[in-house]
Amino acid sequence: MVMITAARNSGIINIEVIVMAKSGFAGISDFNMGEVQVTDSYYVNSLDKENKYLLSLDTDRLLAGFRETAGRIAGMTSDGLIKYMNNAVRYGGGWENSLIGGHTLGHWLSAMAQAYANKGTNENDRTEIKKALDSVIDALADCQAKTSGTEYEGYLFGATLPDSTDFDIQFDNVEKGMANISTQAWVPWYTMHKILAGLITAYRLEGNETAYNIAKRLGDWIYNRVIKWNASTQKTVLAIEYGGMNDCLYDLYKTVLAKEGNETASRYAEAAHKFDEETLFNRVYNGTANALDNTHANTTIPKFLGALNRYETLGDGKYLEYAESFWDYVVNSHSYITGGNSEWEHFGADNVLDAERTNCNCETCNTYNMLKLSRKLYMVTGKPKYTGFYENTLINAIMPSQNPETGMSMYFQPMAGGYHKVFGTEEGNFWCCTGSGMENFTKLNDSIYYQKDNNIIIAQYLASEVDFKAGNMKITQEGDLSKSAIFTITVRAFGQGDVNGGLRLRLPDWLAGEAVIIVNGEAYKPAVEEDYAVIPSNMVKDGTKITITLPMETRAYNLPDNKNTYAFKYGPYVLSAKLGTDKQTQGTTGINVSIPTTKAINNDKVNITSADSVKKYMENISRNMVKADGKLEFTLSGTDNKYVFVPHYSQYKESYAIYWTFTTDKEAINPDAVLEEKDRARREAAVTDAARPGYGQDELGFTESGTGSVGSTSPCYRFANAGGSFKYDFKVAGSGSSYLVCTFAKEEDGKTIKISSGDKVLFEGVLDSKAGNAEIINLAASCTDNYYQVKILIPEDVIAANKTDTRLAGTEKEKAENGYTFIPVTFESAKSGEASAKICLMNYVMKAYGSKL
């Protein structure tokens, strides 16, 4: 690690390099992936399934877009281009064959490098992984070589080409604020981050020198572009998702610095700082209320990873404060019991979690990035809360996101009760979460152990082995907390000579009493330092055997915006109820993202019959949640809930419910509340489509005309410019009338909007949040102060006159499922020469049904 200080003189950055220890600022470092092997059978299966999937992918198809771009830059003929691409085409699914194409190969590079370095990868797979990885990197080097001597020197990109002659036009368009994901730009800097990060990881973990050279040249292309940005352009670019560009560029800086020195490396640190969004960092650091409301979560989290990397790299203390305050904010005000966060990919208002439990919570990419942040923060600060969060979130959000039979991963993880898990497919879904899933399950061994001085820190109790060379010891952990509270830790000398290290055993916050530690058959009462039991080096020798008993109990955790809505954990395991496999249907949202659409239960209400209040019942939850003998299966006594609860990670077939809302006979739900709950359930079931204006992935079949429109991702809105319009292709029921539910900002009162489908005007007029048509239909309670909704009828004859079987989804047509069709809905100003009012947050189409709607 290095610390640098920078001073600017006449536009030149002078960077002073101060060499620091390899470990984090707290003196804590991790182990190489080749020094740790997980032996737990469930985790072994996860790695094996992921490796098999990675090797099954056709690398020519993953490379197709890169070769097409490079070949066109080089001026190849059509026949020459087809030959250069080995007759391969991009994978389909609306992601790889679109303007975000190439992001998967970036993840694949990182995952393959991790799989190669992972001690748990079997040797046959390791050989094939290295062969495939080296081949792809050589192909990328050849693509990059074809840019030599052109204006695109060093450029690599794999997306579809919106312009046949301007090959980095996506980046140009972002600098102009143009972000139509079908025709202009779909987060190209996000994609670039994945590519550059993958190359750096391949160099670091596999030692591939070609990957290093490609990364440097690509870094030069990035530097040459971003160094030209003025403050206005920089602000425009940073308003559109850019992944962790600051993070990977600081990584590139450190990598080049170690190999070639500061003179060569410094430009990459300067480029990284162009992506440091200090206005956002300060908003969170200053404790601004609702600082993240309506911001896209996976856009935001990597920015703070980059902030932390700046601290690690440059020693800029303020940036550590940014990262720590952000972590606290997300974990304490925006996270569910699993460690996941967000609804429809976005953060909501502070501490609004129960109201946002839906079928689209907890995007897995968010969890992936929060774990990266937690791991780094632990090594930098040594604070146990980060390892506690890591363990909880790995067990209860990452491990549940993979189908153990197929190895496929999830996009959303619903927190509303009654939905089931929906996994991707081998070749049909190359979501962002498919890519982060590739990485998740090839690095399951990377955060179990840490080292500080001559001590090994055991941060997770997971069957595994580690080679602690500095302490001349090999540690073996044996046990399975899902079967027994006892773990056995055996110490052996790693090589010749005496063992010369100590142990630090984490004491988790879920312990139901003191941990019982026995060293070589004798009880031992350890000193405790920062939630770690200290086993000093004079007690650790070749052959030392330590057992630690970790008592567990059931605990209840409620949500800040509903004190009676609870979820449960037994020890480290989040529990979810098994709800069977009936009523399981799925649909899509965004760009072909698969989601569950049917609930197995009408509501998540639980009536308590054995206590006078919910509070009293929960105070005795360790007795009221009855554990079956010899297995982790539980039932709730003294209630009308008869379902069986099991560790959530183990559920992948049945529908489930993590959270339940409790009441007692004396606190019986009043009739109005019952009716409102039934109405809410009907409203939810009636939704056929939803579009989040301004956030491209959720703007379904979006097109513009005239002078177009303006969109924003934070907060989300879109309005038509004077003389322009925008249109969505909405999915509606094929028969009967439907409703369009539009969300408007109260501050827009007095502005006009015209909404039509084909030749039929559905709504036209001046907005007035106090008018009779202003209502709250399915708006989150936290939004009602500033927003309202208007319900607009879409008559059956309008649907019949304008229906179409397909809509544009990315770059391919999405076909309407049975019983549904698509219709165009156009938005424009109702007053000549003026821009329209904004539509905001989320806008829905609903089937008409007999209720308040």
Side-chain angles (χ1 to χ4, degrees):
M1 183 172 293
V2 299
M3 180 182 289
I4 68 177
T5 59
R8 183 179 294 274
N9 296 301
S10 303
I12 300 172
I13 295 266
N14 298 316
I15 300 179
E16 178 187 357
V17 181
I18 304 171
V19 179
M20 301 182 67
K22 174 183 179 287
S23 60
F25 284 61
I28 297 171
S29 58
D30 57 359
F31 284 85
N32 295 330
M33 295 187 72
E35 296 174 324
V36 181
Q37 181 170 356
V38 178
T39 56
D40 180 277
S41 60
Y42 199 91
Y43 285 65
V44 168
N45 176 69
S46 290
L47 172 63
D48 182 63
K49 288 291 191 296
E50 198 63 55
N51 286 348
K52 293 294 191 289
Y53 175 55
L54 291 168
L55 286 169
S56 74
L57 294 173
D58 184 338
T59 56
D60 280 331
R61 295 191 71 179
L62 291 176
L63 285 164
F66 293 89
R67 285 172 168 154
E68 181 184 7
T69 299
R72 290 192 183 279
I73 289 172
M76 289 183 180
T77 64
S78 296
D79 289 344
L81 192 59
I82 291 171
K83 183 177 180 181
Y84 183 55
M85 295 170 66
N86 289 338
N87 295 302
V89 296
R90 296 169 174 84
Y91 278 109
W95 287 66
E96 277 304 299
N97 58 337
S98 72
L99 297 189
I100 203 173
H103 81 104
T104 300
L105 184 62
H107 283 294
W108 184 91
L109 289 170
S110 291
M112 289 286 276
Q114 290 172 176
Y116 171 79
N118 193 318
K119 193 174 181 180
T121 295
N122 69 64
E123 290 308 313
N124 287 336
D125 282 351
R126 196 186 316 279
T127 299
E128 293 302 310
I129 285 166
K130 178 173 174 55
K131 180 180 176 182
L133 183 58
D134 288 347
S135 174
V136 166
I137 290 171
D138 286 346
L140 290 174
D142 187 70
C143 289
Q144 194 176 58
K146 287 184 167 37
T147 68
S148 296
T150 74
E151 62 180 298
Y152 303 100
E153 181 85 38
Y155 180 61
L156 277 177
F157 215 58
T160 54
L161 299 169
D163 189 296
S164 60
T165 59
D166 189 346
F167 305 110
D168 59 359
I169 193 172
Q170 281 205 61
F171 297 89
D172 297 334
N173 286 342
V174 165
E175 291 174 7
K176 299 171 185 174
M178 301 166 64
N180 183 311
I181 68 168
S182 297
T183 60
Q184 295 169 341
W186 186 355
V187 295
W189 284 114
Y190 172 93
T191 303
M192 184 60 76
H193 163 228
K194 303 308 175 190
I195 297 165
L196 183 58
L199 290 165
I200 295 169
T201 305
Y203 168 67
R204 287 183 171 178
L205 296 184
E206 199 235 344
N208 191 300
E209 292 286 340
T210 303
Y212 172 84
N213 292 325
I214 299 171
K216 267 187 64 183
R217 291 189 69 196
L218 186 55
D220 291 340
W221 179 87
I222 294 167
Y223 170 83
N224 289 331
R225 172 175 281 271
V226 305
I227 205 64
K228 298 172 186 175
W229 291 346
N230 58 29
S232 176
T233 301
Q234 182 182 22
K235 182 179 179 181
T236 299
V237 172
L238 298 192
I240 296 173
E241 186 173 5
Y242 56 85
M245 280 303 305
N246 49 356
D247 189 33
C248 68
L249 283 166
Y250 284 126
D251 276 346
L252 181 61
Y253 167 76
K254 288 184 288 191
T255 303
V256 176
L257 177 69
K259 192 176 179 69
E260 299 186 54
N262 185 64
E263 185 175 349
T264 303
S266 62
R267 57 172 34 205
Y268 307 123
E270 190 172 358
H273 195 43
K274 287 286 190 178
F275 291 95
D276 286 328
E277 196 170 338
E278 291 181 327
T279 53
L280 169 68
F281 299 161
N282 279 302
R283 189 166 75 240
V284 172
Y285 174 73
N286 291 332
T288 307
N290 298 321
L292 299 178
D293 193 16
N294 290 314
T295 61
H296 185 248
N298 198 45
T299 298
T300 307
I301 301 169
K303 298 176 183 181
F304 286 87
L305 270 166
L308 181 57
N309 204 343
R310 181 174 176 84
Y311 168 71
E312 292 178 295
T313 304
L314 309 185
D316 191 333
K318 190 70 172 179
Y319 277 71
L320 173 59
E321 295 178 31
Y322 291 150
E324 288 205 274
S325 60
F326 174 77
W327 188 94
D328 286 337
Y329 185 40
V330 171
V331 171
N332 296 329
S333 298
H334 291 276
S335 295
Y336 291 97
I337 192 172
T338 60
N341 61 65
S342 77
E343 191 259 348
W344 282 84
E345 303 189 5
H346 285 65
F347 289 120
D350 299 347
N351 299 310
V352 176
L353 291 162
D354 183 56
E356 294 195 345
R357 290 192 295 121
T358 66
N359 57 339
C360 291
N361 294 118
C362 302
E363 182 186 359
T364 306
C365 281
N366 300 352
T367 309
Y368 155 87
N369 278 313
M370 284 300 294
L371 287 187
K372 289 177 71 174
L373 184 62
S374 302
R375 169 183 162 82
K376 281 189 165 190
L377 280 169
Y378 176 65
M379 287 193 287
V380 164
T381 69
K383 295 178 181 178
K385 66 181 178 180
Y386 298 122
T387 52
F389 178 84
Y390 196 103
E391 176 195 60
N392 177 74
T393 307
L394 176 67
I395 292 173
N396 299 306
I398 294 299
M399 297 310 294
S401 73
Q402 186 194 49
N403 184 320
E405 293 184 9
T406 65
M408 296 296 99
S409 52
M410 297 173 65
Y411 197 109
F412 291 118
Q413 300 188 33
M415 291 293 108
Y419 291 109
H420 67 288
K421 295 180 180 179
V422 177
F423 301 95
T425 59
E426 286 85 349
E427 296 188 2
N429 306 111
F430 288 95
W431 308 319
C432 51
C433 296
T434 305
S436 56
M438 293 175 179
E439 296 187 45
N440 286 332
F441 298 102
T442 51
K443 62 173 184 176
L444 295 174
N445 63 337
D446 77 345
S447 300
I448 305 168
Y449 304 97
Y450 298 92
Q451 51 190 309
K452 181 176 183 179
D453 303 324
N454 70 328
N455 296 302
I456 184 168
I457 298 168
I458 298 181
Q460 290 187 59
Y461 294 98
L462 182 65
S464 54
E465 299 176 349
V466 59
D467 298 332
F468 181 31
K469 297 172 186 174
N472 192 38
M473 62 172 92
K474 184 182 187 72
I475 303 288
T476 301
Q477 280 197 80
E478 296 173 287
D480 182 345
L481 289 175
S482 70
K483 296 181 174 66
S484 169
I486 301 173
F487 251 77
T488 301
I489 300 163
T490 305
V491 180
R492 294 290 183 190
F494 178 75
Q496 297 298 315
D498 295 332
V499 168
N500 60 8
L503 280 76
R504 300 290 185 268
L505 310 182
R506 177 171 155 262
L507 300 174
D509 61 2
W510 45 259
L511 286 177
E514 288 191 7
V516 177
I517 297 175
I518 297 175
V519 180
N520 292 327
E522 295 186 6
Y524 174 66
K525 182 74 172 177
V528 176
E529 296 178 0
E530 294 187 326
D531 296 334
Y532 290 91
V534 176
I535 313 294
S537 58
N538 62 3
M539 294 186 65
V540 182
K541 306 185 186 320
D542 183 21
T544 293
K545 181 166 287 190
I546 301 165
T547 64
I548 180 169
T549 301
L550 301 159
M552 294 178 277
E553 66 180 359
T554 305
R555 292 179 182 170
Y557 301 80
N558 62 0
L559 290 173
D561 54 332
N562 191 335
K563 66 179 183 178
N564 289 334
T565 296
Y566 281 88
F568 307 99
K569 286 179 68 177
Y570 181 77
Y573 301 109
V574 170
L575 304 177
S576 65
K578 294 163 64 74
L579 304 181
T581 56
D582 294 338
K583 299 183 181 178
Q584 290 186 345
T585 61
Q586 68 182 61
T588 60
T589 187
I591 306 300
N592 291 343
V593 174
S594 300
I595 58 172
T597 55
T598 307
K599 298 177 71 171
I601 53 177
N602 292 328
N603 60 63
D604 59 13
K605 305 297 183 184
V606 178
N607 187 45
I608 297 169
T609 58
S610 61
D612 292 336
S613 69
V614 174
K615 181 180 179 182
K616 287 183 180 179
Y617 185 83
M618 293 304 165
E619 286 173 351
N620 294 297
I621 193 62
S622 61
R623 292 195 297 272
N624 289 328
M625 180 72 87
V626 181
K627 183 178 178 296
D629 290 338
K631 54 187 175 180
L632 291 191
E633 292 187 359
F634 303 80
T635 52
L636 284 167
S637 67
T639 74
D640 61 358
N641 184 308
K642 304 304 179 186
Y643 295 110
V644 174
F645 289 71
V646 297
H648 182 58
Y649 79 85
S650 68
Q651 293 234 60
Y652 64 98
K653 292 182 178 179
E654 294 196 28
S655 300
Y656 66 87
I658 293 175
Y659 284 98
W660 296 84
T661 301
F662 289 78
T663 186
T664 67
D665 288 336
K666 291 184 179 180
E667 302 167 335
I669 303 173
N670 66 59
D672 288 342
V674 173
L675 291 174
E676 173 57 30
E677 170 61 26
K678 289 182 178 179
D679 194 62
R680 185 204 60 78
R682 286 196 295 267
R683 288 198 306 269
E684 187 175 277
V687 172
T688 61
D689 219 348
R692 187 185 298 274
Y695 181 59
Q697 189 178 316
D698 287 342
E699 294 195 283
L700 311 168
F702 171 70
T703 57
E704 295 177 287
S705 64
T707 59
S709 65
V710 174
S712 166
T713 59
S714 180
C716 287
Y717 64 74
R718 184 171 293 282
F719 64 86
N721 291 319
S725 67
F726 61 94
K727 181 193 77 174
Y728 298 125
D729 289 338
F730 281 119
K731 181 170 72 173
V732 298
S735 60
S737 299
S738 289
Y739 289 102
L740 173 64
V741 177
C742 285
T743 304
F744 298 110
K746 292 180 180 179
E747 65 181 12
E748 295 276 292
D749 279 3
K751 294 189 177 180
T752 70
I753 195 165
K754 178 181 175 183
I755 304 172
S756 55
S757 182
D759 296 330
K760 177 68 174 179
V761 176
L762 304 175
F763 177 89
E764 183 174 15
V766 179
L767 295 188
D768 182 358
S769 59
K770 297 180 179 63
N773 64 350
E775 47 184 326
I776 304 301
I777 297 168
N778 56 357
L779 197 59
S782 61
C783 297
T784 56
D785 286 344
N786 299 312
Y787 299 93
Y788 66 98
Q789 294 173 306
V790 173
K791 177 186 63 186
I792 300 164
L793 178 67
I794 309 175
E796 185 174 14
D797 62 328
V798 172
I799 294 172
N802 294 282
K803 67 180 181 180
T804 177
D805 290 335
T806 59
R807 75 169 166 202
L808 188 66
T811 57
E812 70 176 18
K813 299 282 188 176
E814 178 188 347
K815 197 166 184 63
E817 57 196 272
N818 187 38
Y820 295 91
T821 188
F822 299 111
I823 64 164
V825 176
T826 300
F827 299 80
E828 59 193 316
S829 175
K831 192 170 184 179
S832 177
E834 291 187 3
S836 76
K838 301 170 183 172
I839 59 170
C840 305
L841 303 184
M842 189 72 85
N843 294 263
Y844 302 88
V845 173
M846 293 179 164
K847 291 180 285 188
Y849 66 95
S851 74
K852 294 178 185 177
L853 186 66

